[in-house]
C-alpha cells in the first residue's frame, strides 16, 4: 500500500493584522486589513448597507480579532481613531496586553 506524504499545516500567507480601514460605500461596507509584513487583505463585511457605523466598526474589529486568534494564536485589541470623513474609519491593531494574575495579597 502506498502512503501519501502527510502535509504539515502551513501558516497563512498573510501576516498579523496591524490596522483596519473601513469604508461605507453605496454597495456596502468595505474593509482593508493591513499586516505587519506589509500585506493587505481587502473584502466586504456581510452587513446591510444601512448598518449603523458603530455596528460596522464592531463587526470589523470582531473579524480582525478572530482572524488573529484563529490563524496566529494571538489576541489583539482594536482602537478606532476619530474619523477624518463621515464615511471612512481607521483603527490600529495591537497585541493584547497581558494582565497579571491577581495575587492573594492584593485582595484578588
Amino acid at each position: 500500500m502506498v502512503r501519501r506524504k502527510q502535509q504539515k499545516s502551513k501558516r497563512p500567507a498573510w501576516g498579523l493584522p496591524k490596522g483596519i480601514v473601513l469604508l461605507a460605500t453605496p454597495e456596502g461596507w468595505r474593509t482593508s486589513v493591513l499586516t505587519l509584513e506589509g500585506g493587505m487583505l481587502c473584502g466586504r463585511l456581510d452587513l446591510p448597507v444601512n448598518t449603523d457605523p458603530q455596528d460596522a466598526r464592531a463587526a470589523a474589529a470582531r473579524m480582525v480579532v478572530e482572524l488573529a486568534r484563529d490563524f496566529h494564536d494571538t489576541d489583539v485589541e482594536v482602537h478606532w481613531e476619530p474619523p477624518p470623513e463621515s464615511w471612512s474609519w481607521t483603527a490600529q491593531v495591537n497585541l493584547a496586553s497581558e494582565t497579571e494574575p491577581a495575587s492573594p495579597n492584593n485582595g484578588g
Side-chain angles (χ1 to χ4, degrees):
M1 176 191 264
V2 177
R3 288 189 170 185
R4 287 187 194 175
K5 285 187 177 181
Q6 192 173 20
Q7 292 182 353
K8 291 182 181 178
S9 59
K10 278 178 33 176
R11 290 197 82 180
W14 55 86
L16 193 62
K18 76 169 188 176
I20 307 170
V21 177
L22 176 65
L23 301 172
T25 70
E27 295 81 31
W29 294 94
R30 305 290 302 178
T31 61
S32 294
V33 178
L34 311 170
T35 68
L36 287 173
E37 292 79 9
M40 185 182 308
L41 303 165
C42 299
R44 182 182 346 211
L45 292 177
D46 188 21
L47 298 173
V49 174
N50 60 351
T51 298
D52 182 73
Q54 184 173 352
D55 293 337
R57 289 192 304 267
R62 189 170 40 256
M63 176 191 67
V64 169
V65 166
E66 290 173 0
L67 172 75
R69 187 176 298 131
D70 293 347
F71 291 100
H72 297 284
D73 296 323
T74 302
D75 289 325
V76 295
E77 297 173 342
V78 176
H79 303 281
W80 291 98
E81 298 171 0
E85 303 288 336
S86 61
W87 49 269
S88 168
W89 297 266
T90 58
Q92 297 297 314
V93 179
N94 301 307
L95 293 177
S97 57
E98 294 184 19
T99 57
E100 294 181 28
S103 70
N105 297 336
N106 291 340

